[in-house]
Amino acid sequence: MFKKAFSLSEVLLVVAIIGVVATLTVPNLIRDTEADRTVVQLRKFHNELNNAYQQVQLKYGDYETWGNITKAEKIQRYLEFLEVVRQGNNLRFPLATYNDTSYTKAELKDGLILSLINNSTYNSSDTESYYDVFVATNGLDGSNPGESVFGFTINPYSQRVEAFGKRLSNTGSAPDRSNNGKLSLSSNIYGTNWAITNGNLDYLKCANVLNWNNRLSCK
């Protein structure tokens, strides 16, 4: 007796269906995996930057006691406690916005690229100084705010490192939520706080439905 077998056309049909499903799902899986990797890198760097700030406090004392040193020297004190392998204006940051000579560029041992600036103030009547730190998690590849480039502020007066979105920007724009908790980003780079806190980059996919109170992912 002959055993029933699949015909060639049936096999080809199954293969075609598998190919279509793979085409639809594999890119999403790759993007999700890359996003997860980015969040891990971002959280690790946030911890390292917090640790660097604490080390600076221990070695050099409170910011008010630093005296009359240059902005570059102040930034160098923070870089001293990060694993810097090279720095200088010949090192280009992936996002052109943070590449002029007022920014200090540095590359860390794990491949992250930094661009740091001693910012003036949140408003003209404020005499305090802040340090904005921009980090490229894909090294020299990729330059998209909120996807591969993120921002932090070192605030020596409140004595903390804040992710962009958690604090007001220098232009006075709103933080990363409206009064009812709905996610509100003036730029994706202000999604840094969301990424660190909630562990995803879903604001790149469904920002219009995300809410700090009751919707922390697209799912």
Side-chain angles (χ1 to χ4, degrees), residues 34-35 37-43 45-46 49 93 95 98 112-115 132-138 142-153 162-165 187-196 200-204:
E34 291 178 346
R37 178 183 63 84
T38 297
V39 169
V40 170
Q41 288 179 301
L42 199 57
R43 285 175 165 173
F45 174 72
H46 188 207
L49 191 57
F93 192 78
L95 196 58
Y98 312 119
L112 300 184
I113 304 295
L114 308 183
S115 183
D132 283 348
V133 183
F134 301 93
V135 55
T137 55
N138 283 348
S143 59
N144 297 320
E147 183 176 355
S148 60
V149 175
F150 302 88
F152 297 89
T153 293
E162 297 175 340
F164 272 29
S187 165
N188 280 339
I189 199 167
Y190 290 99
T192 305
N193 183 48
W194 178 279
I196 288 176
N200 63 63
L201 306 183
D202 283 7
Y203 52 82
L204 297 173

Side-chain angles (χ1 to χ4, degrees), residues 6-143:
F6 292 109
S7 66
L8 178 59
S9 60
E10 290 172 327
V11 171
L12 292 176
L13 178 61
V14 171
V15 171
I17 292 173
I18 292 174
V20 171
V21 172
T23 300
L24 295 175
T25 59
V26 170
N28 289 333
L29 290 174
I30 293 174
R31 280 194 295 269
D32 288 345
T33 300
E34 291 178 346
D36 289 343
R37 178 183 63 84
T38 297
V39 169
V40 170
Q41 288 179 301
L42 199 57
R43 285 175 165 173
K44 179 175 179 288
F45 174 72
H46 188 207
N47 289 335
E48 291 173 349
L49 191 57
N50 267 306
N51 180 65
Y53 172 73
Q54 298 301 324
Q55 294 297 319
V56 167
Q57 290 287 96
L58 288 173
K59 181 173 180 178
Y60 295 105
D62 292 336
Y63 183 81
E64 293 93 333
T65 67
W66 287 11
N68 188 26
I69 62 175
T70 67
K71 293 179 179 181
E73 288 172 324
K74 292 174 182 178
I75 287 176
Q76 196 60 43
R77 290 186 173 184
Y78 294 108
L79 289 176
E80 179 182 340
F81 296 99
L82 295 170
E83 293 186 291
V84 175
V85 294
R86 61 175 174 145
Q87 71 176 89
N89 285 326
N90 60 328
L91 176 64
R92 304 296 293 172
F93 192 78
L95 196 58
T97 309
Y98 312 119
N99 254 324
D100 64 55
T101 55
S102 63
Y103 291 85
T104 299
K105 272 78 71 177
E107 181 180 3
L108 301 187
K109 184 178 179 181
D110 57 8
L112 300 184
I113 304 295
L114 308 183
S115 183
L116 307 88
I117 188 170
N118 177 202
N119 241 332
S120 49
T121 60
Y122 290 148
N123 59 71
S124 58
S125 63
D126 193 345
T127 59
E128 298 176 355
S129 293
Y130 299 81
Y131 298 84
D132 283 348
V133 183
F134 301 93
V135 55
T137 55
N138 283 348
L140 294 174
D141 297 326
S143 59

Side-chain angles (χ1 to χ4, degrees), residues 176-184 207-213:
D176 55 12
R177 69 198 74 188
S178 58
N179 291 335
N180 62 2
K182 182 177 174 57
L183 178 67
S184 176
N208 61 315
V209 303
L210 296 178
N211 190 297
W212 283 91
N213 297 329

